[in-house]
Amino acid sequence: AYRFVDVVRSKTPKLTYYSKLAKCILMENSPQPDFEANFYESGAKVLMSGSSITVTEQSGERHTTTRTATPRLPHHTTHLYAHAKTIYEHCLLMERVLMDVEQKTGHDSFPVTIGKKPHCNKAVETRPRHSSRGGQENVSPASVQSEPPRLHSTINKVVGLYDASMASSSPVLQAPLAEPLSSPALDHCAAPAASSLALAQCNKINIATSHRQQDKLSATSQQYNRVVQRNTFVAGVGWVQQDGEGG
C-alpha cells in the first residue's frame, strides 16, 4: 500500500511553474520529489526522478543517466538539463516558503500554479494570414461587422448601371425644343439606397419617367414634322416650303 501511495504522489503535481522556456511541475513525493520540464518550442522533456535523469527529444529519442554534478548527456541536450535543474531548485525554494506560510496560517497552499505560459509560439505567430475571403479562419470580427455598409455602394452601382442602360437603349430624336426632364423622384433615387426595396422602387420610378420623356419627345417630333413637310422648286420663284397643311 505504501508503494502504491508513493507512486500516486510521484504523479500528482504539487507546484506548477511556467518559466520562459518550459512548463515545470514539482510532484508531491517529498523529500526528493520528482520533477519534469516540458519545453514549449522544441517539445523536449526532462524528467528527474529519484537518482535518474531522462531527457526525451522531440523526435522521441531518449537519453537516461544518473544524477551527478556532470551527468553524461549528448551535448545538444545539456542546455535543456541546465534549465530544468535551475528551475527545479527554484521550485524547491518556493515549496519551502509556501509550506512555512501554510504552517503559520493554517490554510492550504497546495497545489499551486505560479506564472503563465508566455506567448512565444512562433508557429502560431508566423502563420500566414490570407487576405482573401477563402481563408475564413483569419477574418477578424471587425471586418465582419464592417461588411453591411458595402450594401450602399453596391446598390448605388446597380442604380448607376441601370440608368446608363436606359439612356443607351432610348431612341434619340433630332427635334428642337426638347428639354430635359427633372423629377424630385429621380433626385431621391440618386441618394444611397438602404435596402433592396428602395432599389426596386427607384427602378419603377426610372421606368415611368423614361416613358414620359419618350412620349414628350415623340409629340415634339410630330409637331415639327407638321410644320415643315417638304421643299419644292417653282420656276421663276425659287425654292418654297410646303407644310403639312398644304400652305
Side-chain angles (χ1 to χ4, degrees), residues 32-155:
Q32 191 177 8
D34 287 7
F35 178 83
E36 66 179 47
N38 298 279
F39 289 83
Y40 310 131
E41 295 296 332
S42 63
K45 178 180 178 180
V46 177
L47 175 62
M48 303 168 64
S49 177
S51 60
S52 66
I53 301 171
T54 302
V55 178
T56 305
E57 299 185 50
Q58 185 180 15
S59 61
E61 186 177 0
R62 293 176 131 193
H63 310 281
T64 303
T65 185
T66 57
R67 280 195 188 185
T68 59
T70 56
R72 295 182 178 180
L73 291 170
H75 180 71
H76 64 279
T77 64
T78 54
H79 69 286
L80 301 176
Y81 170 72
H83 181 75
K85 183 175 182 294
T86 301
I87 301 302
Y88 174 70
E89 295 173 353
H90 181 67
C91 289
L92 289 177
L93 180 60
M94 288 190 293
E95 181 192 27
R96 288 196 294 267
V97 172
L98 291 175
M99 287 182 66
D100 185 58
V101 172
E102 189 178 76
Q103 292 176 359
K104 290 180 179 180
T105 62
H107 298 287
D108 295 334
S109 299
F110 302 100
V112 62
T113 299
I114 301 174
K116 63 179 181 178
K117 182 178 180 179
H119 299 285
C120 60
N121 193 337
K122 297 180 180 179
V124 175
E125 291 180 355
T126 59
R127 183 174 58 185
R129 297 180 180 180
H130 303 285
S131 58
S132 64
R133 291 306 172 91
Q136 292 295 331
E137 73 279 2
N138 294 317
V139 178
S140 64
S143 64
V144 175
Q145 293 175 1
S146 63
E147 192 70 22
R150 294 188 179 183
L151 175 63
H152 300 291
S153 63
T154 302
I155 294 178

Side-chain angles (χ1 to χ4, degrees), residues 4 10 17 21 42 45 78 110 115 152 185 212 228 239:
F4 173 77
S10 66
Y17 177 73
L21 301 179
S42 63
K45 178 180 178 180
T78 54
F110 302 100
H152 300 291
R212 290 197 300 271
V228 180
W239 288 98

Side-chain angles (χ1 to χ4, degrees), residues 148-235:
R150 294 188 179 183
L151 175 63
H152 300 291
S153 63
T154 302
I155 294 178
N156 291 337
K157 291 180 180 179
V158 173
V159 173
L161 291 174
Y162 179 81
D163 292 339
S165 176
M166 289 298 299
S168 62
S169 60
S170 299
V172 179
L173 301 178
Q174 299 295 334
L177 304 177
E179 298 179 356
L181 297 178
S182 62
S183 173
L186 291 178
D187 297 336
H188 173 72
C189 290
S195 65
S196 58
L197 180 61
L199 176 59
Q201 186 67 23
C202 289
N203 290 341
K204 293 180 180 179
I205 294 174
N206 286 338
I207 294 173
T209 304
S210 177
H211 288 169
R212 290 197 300 271
Q213 186 174 8
Q214 292 179 17
D215 294 341
K216 185 173 181 179
L217 291 176
S218 178
T220 303
S221 177
Q222 292 176 4
Q223 181 180 3
Y224 177 77
N225 291 334
R226 286 197 301 268
V227 173
V228 180
Q229 182 69 22
R230 64 183 179 178
N231 294 332
T232 305
F233 180 79
V234 179

